Every structure is written in C-alpha cells, then in structure tokens.
C-alpha cells in the first residue's frame, strides 16, 4: 500500500515551517550568544591629538545566570580602553546587578560615562513581537520597578559619571572631552530643555574656556576639545538637538540593531523613529547645516522573554577617535 502524498501547497507550507523553526533555533541557541566586537575609527580629534580608544557598551539586559555574557564582557578589559561609554538598558532582571558587577569589575578605574535606559528602571515583560511593526514599544504601568539607585551607586564605585540630563568633562590623552546626555527618551525622561544650561555651566567652570583668562596679554595655548552627545534611544528629536548643541560624536543604543533582521535587507523595525539604514553601526547624522558622527550599538542582550537574534549578532564597539586628516 503506497503512502499518502502531500499536495504541493502542503509540502511548501511544511518546508517554510521547518525553515522558520530552524532559523528560530539558530537565533535563540547560537546567534544571540555569538558576542562580537565591532571596531571603527572616527576622525573627530584636532590635528596632532593622541588617539582615544572608546569602548561603547549598551543593552546588556543582564540576568544573573548569563555567565557566558559576563565572562565575554570581562575580557574586553584586555583592550585597554581609555574611556567607557554605557548607553543604558544594563538590567534585564530584578537581580541583574549581580551579573553587571561580575561583568564590569575589571573596568574599575577606567574613566566612564553612562545614561539610563528604560530597562534600568523597569523589569522585562512578555510582549507581542508583532506590535513592534506598529511603532515604538508601549509602556505598561504594572512593570516591576528595578533598583536603579543601586545601579548608579555601583557605577559611582567604578568612577563613572552620570550624564542623565547633565553635562560633564573629562581629559583623556591630552584632549578635553565635553559630554552632554539625556535620561531615557523612550520613556520621555529626556530633558532637552536643560542641556543648554548644563553646557553653559560646565564651560563657566572651565577657566581655559575664557580666552581672557588669566591674562589677556598672554597668548593662550589652544586646547583640543571634542563634544560628545550620549543617549540611550536615538530618537530624531534627541539627535537633532545634540547636533544643534555642537556634538561632533553621538553614541546611542536601544534599537538592538533590529534584533531580527533579513539578510540583504536589514532591520525590519527600529523601536524608535531613526531610519532603518542607521539602526546600528557608525554613520553621519545631519540636521540643518550641521552634522555629527553617530554610533548606534546593536547591544549585547535581549529581553529574557524574547531570547533570539537573527542576522544581527550581539555586539560591543571599540571606537578609536583619531585626528581629522
């Protein structure tokens, strides 16, 4: 007795289903743990300035049991970065700080700056992944509040500077880096209205920022300075404001690079209003007659309720700031 033959449409449906299952298995079991270091050079320093190695970390969404991620991040200390920029969403579980401590311990003493992401405030929740096609994810009131104060206290132990709706300056390898940043724009916590005053206050406290100090008759040596904007989510209102405020380099995360991408096409969603073409990697953001380099990290994690990546491996970025040619 011969076996029953499937109709062509049924065979196609089975093949598609098998391919989808295989892709999901690869994305959840292999690619989401295929941690990658992306490198890029950014020519923003004044002529003659020494290079600056910047380690950009974002979106770890750390849970305490993710020991492979913690070990991989620890190894990044071997790169000997001059500066660490953390663009938020460090926590992915109520006990996520345990994993962050394990991962970041070797970075103690390395200068750093950070901003918050929404997942540093609130714990993860199960969501309908198809809802992302309708626009940025929506917020639920019943989300568990996380201990963001403890996270900030740990970053202070590392010696890192909080840039949430604030400005600060660091001197790295002979170049003054002026930073300004905002709290999470995805939750609407950004206060772009206070950035101008924060920058003015920062420069008012800088004696070398006044060309008449200390003696107008004495020639003042030019000091190399670069301005950097830092945000978790790269919403256009934030990027445009940063460019207007003179940022030469902007660092952000949040998008996960699309997280699930189509080879040859790229990201399907961005979870904000940034163009898909700039959902990850180094590009140039233009607004009016001004522009700035923009690095959007695809991040190192995912929500524990959506543990899959496809054609978009988790990443950290080592940016080497170099002199303008």
């Amino acid at each position: 007795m011969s076996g029953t033959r499937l109709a062509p449409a049924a065979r196609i449906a089975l093949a598609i289903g098998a391919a989808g299952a295989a892709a999901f298995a690869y994305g959840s079991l292999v690619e989401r743990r295929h941690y990658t270091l992306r490198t890029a050079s950014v020519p923003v320093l004044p002529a003659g300035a020494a290079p600056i190695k910047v380690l950009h970390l974002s979106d770890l969404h750390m849970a305490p049991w993710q020991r492979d991620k913690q070990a991989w991040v620890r190894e990044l200390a071997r790169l000997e970065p001059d500066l660490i920029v953390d663009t938020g969403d460090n926590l992915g579980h109520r006990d996520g700080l345990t994993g962050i401590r394990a991962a970041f311990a070797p970075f103690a003493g390395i200068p750093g700056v950070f901003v918050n992401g929404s997942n540093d405030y609130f714990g993860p929740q199960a969501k309908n992944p198809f809802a992302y096609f309708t626009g940025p994810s929506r917020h639920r009131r019943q989300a568990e509040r996380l201990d963001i104060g403890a996270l900030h206290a740990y970053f202070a132990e590392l010696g890192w500077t909080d840039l949430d709706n604030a400005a600060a300056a660091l001197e790295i390898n002979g170049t003054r880096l002026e930073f300004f940043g905002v709290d999470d724009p995805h939750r609407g916590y950004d206060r772009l209205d206070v950035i101008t005053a924060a920058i003015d206050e920062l420069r008012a406290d800088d004696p070398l920022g006044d060309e008449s100090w200390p003696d107008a008759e004495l020639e003042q040596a030019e000091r190399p300075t670069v301005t950097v904007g830092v945000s978790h989510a790269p919403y256009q209102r934030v990027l445009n404001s940063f460019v207007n405020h003179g940022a030469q380099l902007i660092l952000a995360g949040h998008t996960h690079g699309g997280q699930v991408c189509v080879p040859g096409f790229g990201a399907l969603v961005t979870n904000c209003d940034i163009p898909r073409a700039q959902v990850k990697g180094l590009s140039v953001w233009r607004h009016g007659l001004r522009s700035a380099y923009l690095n959007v990290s695809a991040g190192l994690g995912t929500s524990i309720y959506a543990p899959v990546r496809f054609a978009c491996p988790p990443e950290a970025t080592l940016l080497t700031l170099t002199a303008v040619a």
Side-chain angles (χ1 to χ4, degrees):
M1 183 176 177
S2 59
T4 302
R5 297 186 62 184
L6 293 175
R11 291 200 299 268
I12 292 172
L14 283 175
I16 292 173
F24 180 82
Y26 169 79
S28 61
L29 299 176
V30 179
E31 184 163 327
R32 77 175 175 91
R33 300 171 72 175
H34 185 58
Y35 305 113
T36 304
L37 179 69
R38 180 168 55 83
T39 61
S41 294
V42 189
V44 292
L45 301 183
I52 298 174
K53 292 191 294 183
V54 180
L55 180 61
H56 181 189
L57 300 174
S58 196
D59 297 85
L60 280 86
H61 293 275
M62 187 68 77
W65 60 80
Q66 295 171 336
R67 301 187 190 281
D68 57 337
K69 185 193 303 183
Q70 296 159 22
W72 190 86
V73 173
R74 279 198 303 271
E75 288 297 308
L76 295 175
R78 295 188 177 186
L79 299 172
E80 298 183 346
D82 301 305
L83 171 71
I84 296 173
V85 178
D86 184 308
T87 48
D89 272 7
N90 292 278
L91 303 180
H93 185 272
R94 69 181 61 167
D95 297 320
L97 183 55
T98 301
I100 290 295
R101 284 181 173 274
F104 287 5
F107 300 146
I110 300 175
V113 296
F114 68 92
V115 292
N116 300 326
S118 61
N119 285 275
D120 297 319
Y121 286 100
F122 301 99
Q125 293 179 298
K127 298 177 181 178
N128 178 2
F130 294 103
Y132 287 95
F133 289 95
T134 66
S137 58
R138 296 175 176 84
H139 315 301
R140 302 180 182 181
R141 294 182 180 178
Q142 68 269 31
E144 177 186 15
R145 283 194 168 270
L146 302 181
D147 191 351
I148 193 171
L151 179 67
H152 283 201
Y154 177 61
F155 286 167
E157 290 178 25
L158 293 176
W160 293 2
T161 300
D162 185 353
L163 292 178
D164 290 300
N165 299 323
L170 295 172
E171 184 165 319
I172 308 289
N173 294 350
T175 295
R176 176 181 169 89
L177 299 181
E178 290 186 347
F179 299 93
F180 53 83
V182 290
D183 204 342
D184 178 42
H186 192 57
R187 281 268 176 179
Y189 295 164
D190 54 306
R191 289 289 309 279
L192 294 169
D193 56 307
V194 306
I195 293 299
T196 300
I199 295 172
D200 287 345
E201 183 177 355
L202 174 69
R203 292 173 179 170
D205 291 337
D206 173 24
L208 293 183
D210 182 351
E211 294 183 356
S212 66
W213 183 94
D215 189 333
E217 298 180 357
L218 297 178
E219 182 178 357
Q220 180 180 318
E222 183 178 353
R223 180 185 58 187
T225 302
V226 173
T227 303
V228 181
V230 183
S231 173
H232 173 63
Y235 280 88
Q236 293 191 35
R237 70 176 187 273
V238 175
L239 303 180
N240 292 342
S241 177
F242 280 7
V243 169
N244 286 341
H245 282 95
Q248 297 160 269
L249 171 64
I250 302 172
L251 302 178
H254 175 69
T255 66
H256 294 194
Q259 189 166 325
V260 175
C261 299
V262 177
F265 180 80
L268 299 173
V269 297
T270 67
N271 201 21
C272 63
D273 62 358
I274 193 172
R276 286 190 311 101
Q278 293 176 280
V279 72
K280 65 179 177 180
L282 185 67
S283 63
V284 175
W285 184 261
R286 294 182 172 86
H287 179 61
L289 299 178
R290 299 185 177 186
S291 64
Y293 286 99
L294 168 65
N295 190 69
V296 179
S297 172
L300 281 164
T302 68
S303 167
I304 58 175
Y305 294 109
V308 61
R309 281 180 177 261
F310 190 80
C312 187
E315 68 172 27
T317 312
L318 185 68
L319 299 173
T320 302
L321 309 189
T322 60
V324 176

